[in-house]
Amino acid sequence: MKPVVPDGNRHVKTLRKIINYLDEVGPRNTRQILDHINTTTRYGSTPSEVGNLLAKYDYFVKTDLDTVHSALSGSYNVCVWGLND
C-alpha cells in the first residue's frame, strides 16, 4: 500500500514520483532516484532536495549503503532507500 502524500506540500509532485518509482522497482540508491526524477520530469530536482525529502519523511527507510566508483572522484558511499511498510 502506497502512502498518501498530503496536498499543500511544496514537494508533492517530487514525493509522489519517488514513491511510485520505489514502489515499481524496489530499493534504489539516492543517485538512481535523482537520475529518475531528472529524466522523467521537465524541471528535475537538485541532489540536496532529493536527499532532504528522503531523510525527512517517514515514507522512506534507509536500507543499506552502496559504494559508487567514479573515475574522477574515486569511490564514495550513497544510501539505498526503500519504502517504509
Side-chain angles (χ1 to χ4, degrees):
M1 185 172 113
K2 289 189 239 180
V4 177
V5 178
D7 290 331
N9 187 334
R10 174 180 162 165
H11 305 285
V12 170
K13 290 180 183 179
T14 306
L15 280 170
R16 287 185 181 150
K17 195 79 161 161
I18 295 171
I19 290 170
N20 290 335
Y21 178 60
L22 292 177
D23 188 47
E24 290 174 11
V25 298
R28 292 289 184 250
N29 68 38
T30 309
R31 194 70 183 140
Q32 293 167 326
I33 295 169
L34 178 65
D35 289 343
H36 174 74
I37 296 293
N38 288 338
T39 57
T40 58
T41 60
R42 184 172 183 174
Y43 296 107
S45 184
T46 63
S48 60
E49 179 185 7
V50 170
N52 288 340
L53 291 174
L54 290 168
K56 179 180 179 181
Y57 289 97
D58 293 333
Y59 308 133
F60 312 107
V61 61
K62 196 183 304 182
T63 61
D64 199 8
L65 285 177
D66 197 8
T67 302
V68 176
H69 300 282
S70 172
L72 297 176
S73 61
S75 63
Y76 55 95
N77 292 329
V78 290
C79 296
V80 176
W81 298 90
L83 287 177
N84 195 3
D85 292 334

